Amino acid sequence: MGEHTAASRNVTQDAVLVVPGIMGSELRDTGTGEVLWGLSSASWVRRAWLRPGGLHGLRMTEEERAGRTGRVRATGLLRSSVWTPYLHGFEPYARLVEEIRDCVADPAAVRPFPYDWRLPTAVNGRLLAAAAREHLEAWRRHPAHDRARRARADERPARLVFVAHSMGGLVARAALDPAHDAGLAGDTRAVLTLGTPFFGAAKAAAILNTGRGGPVPLPHRQLREVCAGMPGLHDLLPQYRCVRDGDDVRRLEPGDVAALGGSAELAAAAEAAHRDRERVPLPGHRAVVGTTQPTVQNLTLRDGVVVTHHSGVRQHSDGRLLRDTRGRLRWFDLQGDGTVYKQSAAQGPAVIPLPFQHGAVARHPVARKAVAELLRDDDPLGPPQGAAGCGLDVPDLAVAGERLTVRIGEVDTLSGLDCRAVHLETGTVLPLRPGWRDGTLVATPVLGTPGLHRITAATPDGHTVSQLTLCVPAETPES
């Protein structure tokens, strides 16, 4: 019998930077050490969202708007699930970082890049460029680097790989601007983006407009108050033709943003930054794009109030909009990841479509597999496709003791479908029993315990989609 020889680990010699999305970094007050964003305990969530002024520390000050930053510092990537209105919430990056560390020669090759996501993308891009250069040079001096590259066929020195979620992809593109480091793009092997809104997200406009059309719950008002003067949120405003205007669709203008509750100045700066970034290439770019989720794609502005639509237009190759035989605009539901519609994230020649929710992609096993394959130089364009998973639509806020309506789309049978709600603090599992209503699967569970709940739907094709919802007591302070 032949002897078995242990196989060497298939690891990359490259250096990796993990760049989170908006609200994906923990933030602290530099002077007091107070956590401004990132804790997930029930008491912190209640204090942050259900007490007036609970997020006051996140508001941009006049000094910060003038460029004098430092009052707030980012202390690490998100370690626990957090909730926010409209965006439903964000899952921690721990599983993604663990997957990446399994693909490198030494943990020192991986550097998370937390940042103050309230600031302009351009500011964080400059900081990321400096951090990337420092990280690459330090890793090339590390003893494990030489051992790793000698085990690779080309034996080349390490290069950079950026793994970026959501806004993090915009930060990575800003970092690769030659104005920051003329050689950084040449030292970059690949950029993998997860749900990055390269052309913005219409939901950002809806956040700025919160409350303009009538009363809304306290958490939603608090989010708008924090975001109204936040450059980072304005950087996510849609840069594509998204405003329905008679029988046409036009771009969102800075004047529109001011009318709906944001800042015309910040909107104009964001538009200029997007134009500048369009000329910055992303070396070896792979885009993981969310699909099958109900997603806001289009807007109507009525007397300063935003009305959202889950459909958009398509263009001919010459830029003309597709119309029917009578010359009327044709509308298409292209879906997305629940926050970023598909066409905004699907930039570049290599796109990996997956059924996931925007805030949950970092824990999606197939997305993590695509990251691992890219790092190991394998072809990352071959994740299981097959059936398309399912769509999930859950209200971001629930009231304890009242029925919650959960809609599950893109499913034609109950066979093999597993739906449940999990209370994140107690681990209590509540099975959901969906039934058909007007051609859509609907479940109406009653969440009895306040706190964060993860609603999941697992389909027979192996895909699990999840959303976070915050369950609040029946008596919630509103002022």
Side-chain angles (χ1 to χ4, degrees), residues 420-431 447 449 452-454:
R420 58 186 62 191
V422 180
H423 191 278
L424 296 193
E425 290 178 88
T426 65
T428 303
V429 177
L430 174 66
L447 304 181
T449 307
L452 275 178
H453 295 253
R454 181 183 293 119

Side-chain angles (χ1 to χ4, degrees), residues 14-86:
D14 289 322
V16 184
L17 288 111
V18 183
V19 191
I22 189 170
M23 298 185 172
S25 303
E26 297 177 352
L27 301 183
R28 287 181 180 265
D29 185 292
T30 303
T32 66
E34 177 189 0
V35 176
L36 303 178
W37 178 258
L39 291 179
S40 66
S41 67
S43 60
W44 184 84
V45 170
R46 285 193 294 269
R47 183 172 69 251
W49 290 109
L50 303 179
R51 188 184 69 183
L55 293 173
H56 184 79
L58 290 178
R59 296 185 187 182
M60 296 287 291
T61 64
E62 291 296 332
E63 291 78 12
E64 288 171 322
R65 279 192 285 269
R68 296 187 292 275
T69 60
R71 179 183 69 88
V72 173
R73 62 188 178 95
T75 54
L77 302 191
L78 201 63
R79 292 176 292 178
S80 303
S81 302
V82 297
W83 176 87
T84 180
Y86 289 106

